[in-house]
Amino acid sequence: FKQEVGSRFHYDHADRFQHRNTYALTNDIPQRIANGILGAAGNRKDASRALSSYARSTAIWNKWSIQLGLRGEFIQSERIDWGSNDKNREGNDLYERKNSTFSILPGLSLCRAFDHWNMFTGIHKGMTPAGSKDGVLPENSLNSELGVQHNSRPINVTFFYSQYDRLLGSDAAATHEAAARGHGCQSLH
């Protein structure tokens, strides 16, 4: 048996202080005719903190290997929005929101080695964080694959199938009821 564990902490943020300028085309040349008001097209800060940990065990027997894994994700996201009329960020029209995501993501893979080829299959749970809007749940997925790969040549063919629940973003029209399935084949050579 081979055991492996790990953790990471991640922080990122975006400070948006945007404006919209007005342009006109004169003889097919764009010219700015008016400067936008600072902060009128976005005046906010978004930040996220994430702690991720995993444990993985691999067992090898003859030409077979099986790998079990478990990953935990804890993510806190927040937004501070001063609105479009507070370019000095004094808090006159302040809006704040926060949300947390916690997910346990298991995975299992099986591999069989042959003389020049490996055949593999796996099933893994995935997720996309929910973002800072309170009450929004993370997007979930269940991903499976089956493939073969050459041991010494860059040849790899993988068939995959993914199922998504609670799609996030504009593709889902911002609802929690959207779901999708995807399948395909990837070939690298």
Side-chain angles (χ1 to χ4, degrees), residues 108-173:
L108 169 69
S109 64
L110 182 65
C111 184
R112 168 66 161 91
F114 296 94
D115 289 337
H116 300 287
W117 295 89
N118 289 331
M119 186 172 72
F120 58 90
T121 186
I123 186 164
H124 309 274
K125 186 176 178 186
M127 76 88 181
T128 301
S132 62
K133 190 173 181 182
D134 187 34
V136 174
L137 298 171
E139 176 180 299
N140 290 320
S141 64
L142 189 61
N143 310 289
S144 55
E145 64 183 2
L146 173 67
V148 294
Q149 112 185 59
H150 198 275
N151 291 335
S152 60
R153 296 189 178 140
I155 301 171
N156 181 347
V157 177
T158 306
F159 297 93
F160 60 89
Y161 178 79
S162 297
Q163 181 176 334
Y164 299 90
D165 294 316
R166 289 196 306 252
L167 290 177
L168 299 173
S170 59
D171 291 339

Side-chain angles (χ1 to χ4, degrees), residues 38-79:
L38 293 176
N43 187 7
R44 68 181 187 269
K45 287 185 181 181
D46 293 290
S48 292
R49 291 162 196 80
L51 176 63
S52 176
S53 297
Y54 76 95
R56 181 169 54 193
S57 294
T58 304
I60 299 173
W61 180 70
N62 290 329
K63 294 187 175 194
W64 290 91
S65 68
I66 185 167
Q67 195 170 73
L68 297 167
L70 192 63
R71 190 175 94 222
E73 296 275 353
F74 179 67
I75 302 164
Q76 291 182 314
S77 300
E78 62 184 26
R79 172 178 287 180

